Structure formats: C-alpha cells, structure tokens
Amino acid sequence: MTGALVEQARDLRVDERTLIDRVLAGDAGAARALYDAHVDRVYRLAYRLAGDEDLARDCTQDAFVRAFERLADFRGASSLATWLHSVTVSTTLNALRKRKRWWAREAPLEAADGIGRVGRQAEPDLKHRLAGAIDALPEIYRTVFLMYDVEGFTHEEIGGALGVPVGTSKARLSTARAKLRQALADFAGDWAS
Amino acid sequence: MSDERFEQRLGQAARDYHAPGEVPRDAMWAAIDAARRGQAGAAPPAPRRRPVARVPWLAAAGIAAVLAIGVAIGRWTARLPGGALPAQGIAGVPTAGDPAVGDTMRPTELPHNVAARAADAPGHRPDRPGSGVARRAARPDAAPTLARAPRGRSASAAERV
C-alpha cells in the first residue's frame, strides 16, 4: 500500500491536500509517501547548504519532523514543496549558524594544535578557489546562488522558500555572481579558452 | 569573457560544490518515525491558563474600573463641607463645642485664640488692620503656630487677657 501511495504522490496523481489530510488522520503510509515524494530535493538542498553529510541528515530529519508537527497549520498558500523547502532552509541555516559559533570558539585551539602537521597548498586550483569564494559569500547571496545556479530552483520557488519577492531573489543572484566573478578574476583567461 | 559564458562556466563548476551522494532515505525515515512516535507517546501538554496580561481588554477594563472608583471617591469627598470627611463626633463622647463640657476641654491656648479673645475684651484697642496677629486671627483657616510664642503687641495683648 505504501509503495502504491509513493507512486501516486510522485506522479502528482494524489492531490496534495488529500495526502496531507490522510497524514493528519494518522495514516502512517501517507506520511511515508509524503516523505518519499520530497526527501530527495530536501536532502540535496540541505547538503548543498551544509556541505557535511551528518549535518545534512540531521537537518533533513529535523525539517521533516517539524513539517509533520506543523502540518495542521499548512493552509496551502504555497505548494507543499515550497513550504518544505522553507522549513529546510531555515533549519539548515540555523544549524550552520550554531556550528559557526562553535567553530569560532573552538577553532583557535584546533588551529594551534595542528601547526606544522597540515601543509597548505600554495595556490589552490579553480575548484578550491570557487568553493572558497562560495563559502565566503554572505548567507543571503550564497543561499540564492546555490538554490538557483546549482540546484535549479526557479526564482518563484526561491522567493516562496525564503519569504522574499522574486525581484529580491534575482537581485541577490546577480550580486552573488558579481562577487564570485570578482573572486575568480584570475581564472577568467582559463574559462575564456 | 561575456557574462553569459561566465555564468555558464560558473554553474558547471559549482555543481561539484558540496555535491550530495546517495540519499539515506530509510535511515532518515527511521529517525523521523521514531521522533514522531516519541512525540505521540509523550503526555500531551497540560492546557495553559492564559495569563491576564495576555488578555488586553481585561487588563484595560481593570485599569478603567480602578480609575473610575478613584475619581468617584475624589468627587464625593470634594462635595463635603470643607472638602474633608465630616467631623462627626463619636456617639457618647463629648466634644469641645459641647456647653456641658465647660472649660475642661477648652482648646489649647493658641495664638489666634488668644488674639481673638483679646479683641472681644472690653476696652480693647484693635490692632492696626493688616498687622500680623490680627490678620492671622481673622483668617479662619489660619494654621496654629505652636512652635513660636506670640511677639510684640499681640503678645502683650495676650498677657493682658
């Protein structure tokens, strides 16, 4: 029964509202169907933002647990997917902020501990430079860049998930690209060839 | 390099950034399901009483009622003679104005009392209008001066009495 429901949910043959109502009525199969229909994109989004498998798993789990908790409050103003992505982004960014604070406290000790053992690359290649440049982007630009350019979300979906107008999403993407272009100016010649 | 080409190359290069592997569906579902069962098995939270402060109209009504009572008391006391509570004698207790009491309960010899009695005395030459004691004695609401003894002509008038 669960397998059949998954197929139905994936093919969007089952009305979203019906699935939600069944989950709210305590149908475990419907809950699993809802999860299976959305987990791939939610996990990918969490992973892109977090960059760490354990953290991405934790954030995905938290996002779904929260979503099931608040499912009764979902009024259908946006699609269920957009709503789930909104919960995912918020959960993941909060987890990243917590980790950042922890790193800010702990990193100086670990850095001092590792002196002389880890060699630094003199000149990182493009991949490393790009990763570093994306990491260095402010959160609002980085999130939009990863959602649009990497994960293929539309500006409408990004706006819905982040709670910003479409124009804001576009402006943030433009700023993110400009910053990355500036950071990767050294590689402009390689890319032109 | 054109913007379009840069964006194309950037998008391609960025695909490797934090590239996710296989989605651990079942492992994550097991954790989610366990969390949901845990929540369902937990005792439902006790219904909370809404604190008074969270019912704005109730707090406002309370404040208004207190203000109205305060204003009513103020107006009621202001309408009384002298603007104070009535000086009612307690039943069975003689007051200073009672003729039966006589001199035993005469008020303390305060300067304005002394001056007033001196003015009533035969052959008394009244004080110049506007002079200190006369002015004070004529004023019904003059506060009694207990700390200082009467001075000057008023003092001598008091001695004559």
Side-chain angles (χ1 to χ4, degrees), chain A residues 35-55:
Chain A
Y35 167 80
D36 279 338
H38 296 280
V39 67
D40 287 355
R41 218 163 179 212
V42 166
Y43 178 78
R44 287 179 67 85
L45 179 58
Y47 197 102
R48 292 284 189 191
L49 291 169
D52 177 272
E53 191 178 338
D54 288 338
L55 192 56

Side-chain angles (χ1 to χ4, degrees), chain A:
Chain A
M1 182 189 164
T2 305
L5 273 173
V6 170
E7 287 304 312
Q8 283 174 325
R10 276 187 185 155
D11 297 341
L12 301 174
R13 285 197 293 264
V14 173
D15 176 46
E16 207 168 73
R17 193 69 244 179
T18 309
L19 192 62
I20 290 167
D21 288 343
R22 288 173 68 173
V23 174
L24 291 173
D27 185 339
R32 176 68 200 240
L34 191 149
Y35 167 80
D36 279 338
H38 296 280
V39 67
D40 287 355
R41 218 163 179 212
V42 166
Y43 178 78
R44 287 179 67 85
L45 179 58
Y47 197 102
R48 292 284 189 191
L49 291 169
D52 177 272
E53 191 178 338
D54 288 338
L55 192 56
R57 277 175 67 153
D58 287 347
C59 293
T60 304
Q61 287 164 198
D62 282 353
F64 273 102
V65 169
R66 277 195 201 183
F68 281 125
E69 272 175 16
R70 301 184 202 160
L71 200 56
D73 299 331
F74 176 67
R75 297 276 171 256
S78 61
S79 74
L80 183 64
T82 299
W83 183 69
L84 270 171
H85 296 148
S86 168
V87 177
T88 306
V89 169
S90 141
T91 305
T92 310
L93 292 181
N94 279 337
L96 281 172
R97 284 181 206 126
K98 265 188 207 168
R99 198 170 70 166
K100 214 174 194 176
R101 282 199 294 271
W102 185 86
W103 272 103
R105 287 199 306 269
E106 304 294 327
L109 291 173
E110 293 190 5
D113 195 38
I115 288 172
R117 280 193 280 138
V118 180
R120 285 186 62 196
Q121 288 184 331
E123 195 59 44
D125 63 4
L126 170 64
K127 204 190 255 185
H128 286 118
R129 278 281 291 274
L130 177 62
I134 295 172
D135 285 340
L137 284 175
E139 188 181 279
I140 53 171
Y141 303 124
R142 182 172 166 270
T143 305
V144 172
F145 173 75
L146 290 176
M147 289 181 84
Y148 188 91
D149 268 352
V150 182
E151 278 301 305
F153 283 80
T154 64
H155 282 299
E156 284 75 18
E157 287 174 322
I158 296 170
L162 301 184
V164 297
V166 169
T168 303
S169 174
K170 287 179 180 173
R172 286 182 184 177
L173 178 66
S174 176
T175 307
R177 283 174 175 169
K179 283 178 182 286
L180 290 174
R181 190 186 180 103
Q182 199 177 357
L184 302 171
D186 297 348
F187 294 91
D190 296 345
W191 281 7
S193 59

